[in-house]
Amino acid sequence: MAVVVGYVTTKEGSAALDAAVTEVRRRNSRLVVVLARRSQGEDASTLEAEADTVRDLLDDADIAYDIRQLRRSEDVAESLVSTAEEVGAELIVIGLRRRSPVGKLVLGTNAQRILLDAPCPVLAVKPLNAAS
């Protein structure tokens, strides 16, 4: 079994990664990190540098993991769901951004699609310093 986490280099991504590491330890499973680009303009070398940073963090955490980098054309929500299906995930972890009062009525498109299409439970987290 595995825990799948969607990761981008943001405070929301860091919160998701931290929560995923906690869940992996609790469940005695392995972590599959789906690393996405923050913007279309990001090049492959930037994404590889981010992957190296994540590897260093996870090596320090001393857990089993795999990192998958999304290609520019891949859909984030679809990739997280298909990765979870492929590895038989027991949990998907995603980070949520702070939203305005009106924005709180509707989740972001990717988060909403992941919640609706996921083959397993989804844990959605916000950074600690994010106000409600």
Side-chain angles (χ1 to χ4, degrees):
M1 294 299 251
V3 172
V4 174
V5 62
Y7 180 80
V8 291
T9 308
T10 62
K11 57 188 172 185
E12 293 82 11
S14 294
L17 188 62
D18 289 345
V21 167
T22 299
E23 288 298 322
V24 163
R25 287 185 175 137
R26 188 173 75 76
R27 297 165 185 267
N28 196 25
S29 59
R30 69 186 178 93
L31 181 63
V32 178
V33 179
V34 178
L35 183 62
R37 298 175 193 273
R38 281 187 292 180
S39 66
Q40 291 295 342
E42 220 172 24
D43 63 10
S45 63
T46 302
L47 197 59
E48 188 56 42
E50 290 173 0
D52 287 341
T53 300
V54 171
R55 280 185 198 95
D56 290 343
L57 289 168
L58 297 177
D59 285 343
D60 288 345
D62 196 30
I63 60 170
Y65 68 89
D66 180 32
I67 297 176
R68 300 177 181 202
Q69 296 180 25
L70 293 185
R71 291 186 298 269
R72 190 169 299 185
S73 61
E74 290 181 292
D75 178 85
V76 173
E78 185 178 307
S79 294
L80 275 169
V81 169
S82 64
T83 298
E85 289 169 344
E86 177 189 328
V87 302
E90 56 188 316
L91 181 69
I92 297 174
V93 182
I94 59 173
L96 295 179
R97 286 182 286 157
R98 182 174 186 266
R99 297 196 167 273
S100 68
V102 171
K104 288 179 185 177
L105 296 174
V106 179
L107 287 172
T109 304
N110 283 332
Q112 189 173 38
R113 287 178 45 219
I114 293 163
L115 287 168
L116 293 173
D117 297 339
C120 59
V122 177
L123 173 61
V125 299
K126 291 180 9 178
L128 287 177
N129 59 353
S132 311

